[in-house]
Amino acid sequence: AVLWRHFNQIGYHFKQPRVSLNVAFVDSEADLLYKYEPIDNLVMINGRFLGAATAKAIHDLIKRFNPVMFYAHPVALATLGKSMEEVNLPPLNLPVTYVYSEVLSKATRAIISRQIGPNVYDHFGNRENSISASQFPCKHYHINSEFVYMELTPSPSVFEGQALNRVIGTNLINYAMPVLRYDCADLATEIKPCGNCQINHPTIQ
């Protein structure tokens, strides 16, 4: 439910065409360029085909399917974007790009914005679901307070002149180990309300 609230906020709705860039397919599907999932109206692209040699085939597939959103890890999307540039393919200019699971650097965001689409939204989280914050159109990362509690503790780290704090997260719905505080080793500057939108959840930077 939290994920779909986020999708709706950034302009993607259920059953609209979506494309994802997956890890490499295996076994009998290893040589497939893509698979189609009709329930989600989703084209899943085989990650093993990333590169300049297959960039046009992937580009043509995406243009034919005309998705509203591209859903993938940022480094994979940046790799696709660089491959498209290498063979002089035009930008895709998709309405929504959603990335997750990796740090979204300024350089990676620039490639994705230029080649995939300008509206890039990021999700900050971990597999243990002890931290979770979603980037909304205001560009701030709103903490998903329904199921996590996030706090900051001091650290000696500094970035671009700002003191950084360690991010501590607690999963509020972990039935096996409830209220376990989890140091995920990520760093942030502050948690505060958002001054740019009406979403009540606090933001983390």
Side-chain angles (χ1 to χ4, degrees):
V2 169
L3 181 67
W4 279 101
R5 179 186 64 205
H6 185 208
F7 283 172
N8 291 337
Q9 289 282 347
I10 63 178
Y12 174 77
H13 303 283
F14 186 59
K15 282 293 188 180
Q16 289 181 317
R18 172 165 53 112
V19 65
S20 68
L21 186 53
N22 293 63
V23 296
F25 297 170
V26 297
D27 299 329
S28 62
E29 298 176 331
D31 294 326
L32 296 177
L33 176 63
Y34 71 96
K35 297 185 291 185
Y36 176 67
E37 170 52 66
I39 293 175
D40 285 336
N41 197 15
L42 167 67
V43 164
M44 296 174 282
I45 299 171
N46 190 345
R48 71 176 296 210
F49 288 108
L50 273 179
T54 52
K56 187 176 188 309
I58 294 174
H59 184 275
D60 291 348
L61 168 67
I62 294 170
K63 294 298 285 186
R64 285 197 310 273
F65 189 58
N66 194 28
V68 173
M69 182 170 73
F70 206 144
Y71 180 92
H73 291 172
V75 171
L77 279 178
T79 301
L80 175 60
K82 287 181 178 179
S83 300
M84 287 166 49
E85 288 181 329
E86 189 175 334
V87 294
N88 297 313
L89 292 169
L92 290 167
N93 289 323
L94 301 184
V96 178
T97 305
Y98 182 96
V99 296
Y100 58 97
S101 291
E102 299 168 350
V103 173
L104 178 60
S105 69
K106 292 178 181 178
T108 300
R109 181 187 284 274
I111 296 168
I112 295 171
S113 298
R114 186 169 66 245
Q115 291 300 115
I116 308 300
N119 300 313
V120 182
Y121 299 98
D122 186 29
H123 175 77
F124 169 55
N126 61 0
R127 177 65 66 183
E128 295 82 2
N129 282 326
S130 62
I131 59 170
S132 179
S134 303
Q135 197 175 35
F136 281 81
C138 64
K139 299 304 181 183
H140 293 157
Y141 288 81
H142 285 260
I143 297 171
N144 293 309
S145 304
E146 291 94 345
F147 67 94
V148 298
Y149 178 75
M150 292 166 62
E151 57 190 303
L152 302 179
T153 61
S155 85
S157 301
V158 176
F159 179 71
E160 294 183 347
Q162 283 189 299
L164 297 179
N165 301 283
R166 296 181 74 88
V167 180
I168 308 296
T170 305
N171 185 322
L172 303 177
I173 58 171
N174 186 330
Y175 297 111
M177 293 181 289
V179 297
L180 177 70
R181 296 174 72 240
Y182 185 96
D183 185 346
C184 65
D186 282 317
L187 300 168
T189 55
E190 59 185 347
I191 292 175
K192 65 177 184 179
C194 179
N196 296 340
C197 65
Q198 300 302 313
I199 299 168
N200 291 326
H201 295 176
T203 67
I204 188 166
Q205 181 176 344

